[in-house]
């Protein structure tokens, strides 16, 4: 019996939780998320997938090491960085459109599959739009920093820049 003597009673536990400062905000947030998830399930998942896609697109540019503008502007596998941004964004939008039309033309007997297509299309579209926007901003920022630098700083950046290959990209993704 002494082992169970230290366990608080349910009434004491509820009183300590309800008198906490953050309980009201947490319960309001949870109630709001649950209401959105229950009442507008498709809308909730589409918005969440869009936010995740946009977050991934921005993270791929801003989450990496951007201290060296020479490193940012270096070609990857012989392709300029701007072309990579355009190709990835264009491919994402094309695939997003194919998923969108697949969701539109899915039979009415399979609403879950249609919602899944629409959710994936929105997430992929948000990813490609954020990837394009963040990529152009990072490239423009790197060009401005190079134009504003002096010869000594430029030489230091060129000495510190590493060649970009597939192994370097994998290492940089593991660091972040």
């Amino acid at each position: 019996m002494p082992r169970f003597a230290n366990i608080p009673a349910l009434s004491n536990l509820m009183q300590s939780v309800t008198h906490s400062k953050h309980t009201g905000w947490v319960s309001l947030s949870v109630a709001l998320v649950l209401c959105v998830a229950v009442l507008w399930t498709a809308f909730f998942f589409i918005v969440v997938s869009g936010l995740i896609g946009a977050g991934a697109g921005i993270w791929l540019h801003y989450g990496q090491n951007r201290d060296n503008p020479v490193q940012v502007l270096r070609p990857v596998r012989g392709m300029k960085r701007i072309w990579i941004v355009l190709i990835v964004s264009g491919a994402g939008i094309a695939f997003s459109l194919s998923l969108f039309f697949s969701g539109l033309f899915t039979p009415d007997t399979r609403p879950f599959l249609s919602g899944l297509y629409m959710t994936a299309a929105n997430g992929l579209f948000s990813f490609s739009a954020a990837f394009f926007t963040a990529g152009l901003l990072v490239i423009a920022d790197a060009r401005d920093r190079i134009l504003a630098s002096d010869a000594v700083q430029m030489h230091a950046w060129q000495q510190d820049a590493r060649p970009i290959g597939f192994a370097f990209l994998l290492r940089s993704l593991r660091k972040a």
Side-chain angles (χ1 to χ4, degrees), residues 58-74 76 81 134 138-139 141-142 145 153 156-157 160-164 168-176:
I58 291 171
W59 174 80
L60 283 174
H61 290 291
Y62 285 107
Q64 306 301 317
N65 187 6
R66 298 181 310 120
D67 295 336
N68 190 345
V70 173
Q71 182 76 30
V72 171
L73 293 177
R74 274 229 170 125
V76 177
R81 187 67 62 119
V138 166
I139 290 171
D141 180 50
R145 287 180 61 197
Q153 182 65 46
W157 281 334
D160 290 339
R162 294 173 282 182
I164 296 178
F168 171 73
L169 291 175
L170 288 178
R171 279 195 311 272
S172 66
L173 286 174
R174 273 190 243 133
K175 286 181 190 175

Side-chain angles (χ1 to χ4, degrees), residues 3 9 19 24 41 65-66 69 74 96 134 146-147 151 164 174:
R3 183 182 299 178
H19 287 23
T41 306
N65 187 6
R66 298 181 310 120
R74 274 229 170 125
S96 173
I146 284 178
L147 290 175
I164 296 178
R174 273 190 243 133

Side-chain angles (χ1 to χ4, degrees), residues 86-102 120-121 124-129:
L86 290 172
I87 288 171
V88 169
S89 298
I93 287 176
F95 191 55
S96 173
L97 284 173
S98 71
L99 286 171
F100 176 74
F101 286 120
S102 296
L124 196 56
F125 178 78
S126 297
F127 167 77
S128 60

